[in-house]
Amino acid sequence: MIVALAGGVGAARFLDGLARVVPPKDIFVIGNTGDDAEIHGLHVSPDLDTVMYTLAGLADPVRGWGLRGDTFHNLEALRTLGAETWFQLGDRDLATHIVRTELLRGGMKLSAVTRQMSEALGVRSTIVPMSDDPVRTMVQTKNRLLEFQDYFVRRRAEDAVRGVLFHGSEQAKPAPGVLDAIMRATAVIFCPSNPVISICPILSVPGIREALERRSGPIAAISPIVGGRALKGPAAKMMRGLKLSASALGVARLYQGIADVFVLDNEDKAAASKIESLGMKAVVTDTIMSGLSRKKALARAVLRALE
């Protein structure tokens, strides 16, 4: 079994490639829920859904999030009625959030809800939230503390970031099966996700980092930063705001002491020796997943490095 820590579009694209080179049933995904939010009274789990839709073959290939071919008539109706529509929910996507919200209000845990919906969509891999308890990523800007979706979607990540907090993480417990999967896995992979707001929320849940540090098997991390820029999302900008180096080396420093292997792009090969000085094996390869063949090639490169 391969355990993957995942959040966002970069993770979903990598997992799409991984699920085509190993049996999908052998992949156990621990998904970030720090991005979860209540939108129009519905519980939305953006990172879980992006991974679920991608592994189900339903994701929008251009945007990376949402459902392929979805429409937005409901959003237009909400706008007509004067509702705020800065967070876009497609008409078919809406069904996911309605069902999730109903099941949660009925007493079902998020992990059970995610399993039920994944199975309904034909996903053969296991997708589990990092916790059934609410953990919310909060972004500290110069003048205010913002909920993540407010910062990222509503305000388009334009505010300078001064800090990131994970509200509720201290009281949260890992979702059922998470710690056992980490300890039993033949390998663990940190997907090419924003380390600050996709991977660090997972690591903030008590017990998860400790389990990763205790396990004897290998752990690989893939840099989402190439040539000082994020291929998707605000990772580089956020890292600079936090006084971190927005580089593959900067990402590697965040995973020092946990990861054994660090995968970086050919463009950043000059940083390989500095990364190895952190105690990791540096693997230089093409990490830009612009098509299915490159997704699969990256997955194979990471698996070879983990052998």
Side-chain angles (χ1 to χ4, degrees):
M1 177 177 61
I2 298 171
V3 167
L5 277 64
V9 176
R13 287 175 175 166
F14 173 76
L15 291 167
D16 184 29
L18 183 65
R20 296 170 189 269
V21 298
V22 301
K25 64 179 178 61
D26 293 341
I27 301 172
F28 187 103
V29 182
I30 303 173
N32 169 47
T33 56
D35 294 5
D36 285 20
E38 184 174 298
I39 307 293
H40 305 304
L42 301 176
H43 184 115
V44 180
S45 295
D47 284 1
L48 293 179
D49 291 345
T50 295
V51 170
M52 181 174 68
Y53 291 159
T54 299
L55 293 180
L58 301 172
D60 186 303
V62 177
R63 294 177 303 188
W65 55 270
L67 290 160
R68 181 178 60 250
D70 211 348
T71 54
F72 294 87
H73 302 303
N74 181 70
L75 203 69
E76 294 168 6
L78 285 169
R79 188 180 298 115
T80 299
L81 294 171
E84 292 187 334
T85 56
W86 52 269
F87 196 96
Q88 297 198 345
L89 298 176
D91 297 328
R92 289 165 52 225
D93 182 32
L94 200 61
T96 297
H97 313 309
I98 291 171
V99 170
R100 177 188 292 117
T101 304
E102 288 182 341
L103 293 175
L104 289 173
R105 287 176 181 168
M108 190 179 287
K109 298 295 186 181
L110 182 59
S111 54
V113 173
T114 304
R115 180 173 61 251
Q116 178 174 310
M117 292 197 300
S118 295
E119 291 175 353
L121 294 180
V123 176
R124 289 179 289 164
S125 301
T126 300
I127 305 173
V128 178
M130 62 194 195
S131 178
D132 282 329
D133 302 314
V135 177
R136 296 294 175 263
T137 298
M138 306 294 292
V139 179
Q140 180 67 61
T141 67
K142 182 178 180 181
N143 300 313
R144 67 185 76 182
L145 186 65
L146 300 172
E147 292 185 359
F148 178 75
Q149 297 302 342
D150 195 6
Y151 156 79
F152 182 54
V153 181
R154 186 174 190 171
R155 301 176 66 86
R156 301 179 183 274
E158 293 177 354
D159 298 85
V161 177
R162 296 291 180 262
V164 177
L165 306 172
F166 307 118
H167 281 187
S169 64
E170 292 183 0
Q171 295 77 38
K173 296 179 181 179
V178 166
L179 298 183
D180 182 58
I182 289 172
M183 300 309 294
R184 291 193 302 107
T186 55
V188 174
I189 301 172
F190 289 12
C191 292
S193 305
N194 184 325
V196 177
I197 48 90
S198 290
I199 302 299
C200 283
I202 301 175
L203 299 179
S204 76
V205 176
I208 293 182
R209 178 187 286 269
E210 293 78 6
L212 290 165
E213 292 173 342
R214 285 199 315 271
R215 63 172 267 111
S216 58
I219 299 175
I222 308 166
S223 177
I225 303 288
V226 176
R229 66 190 185 279
L231 298 179
K232 189 79 175 177
K237 182 178 179 179
M238 295 188 80
M239 292 181 72
R240 285 191 290 268
L242 295 170
K243 308 301 182 184
L244 302 171
S245 173
S247 64
L249 178 59
V251 177
R253 286 174 178 149
L254 291 175
Y255 297 148
Q256 186 178 10
I258 304 177
D260 308 295
V261 176
F262 191 81
V263 181
L264 64 159
D265 192 75
N266 293 319
E267 188 173 338
D268 297 312
K269 62 182 179 181
S273 60
K274 291 183 179 179
I275 289 170
E276 295 206 326
S277 72
L278 299 176
M280 307 177 195
K281 174 185 176 182
V283 174
V284 180
T285 189
D286 179 10
T287 65
I288 300 176
M289 299 174 288
S290 57
L292 180 56
S293 62
R294 297 176 85 174
K295 293 178 188 176
K296 294 194 294 185
L298 177 58
R300 291 191 182 102
V302 174
L303 293 174
R304 284 196 300 271
L306 284 165
E307 291 176 353

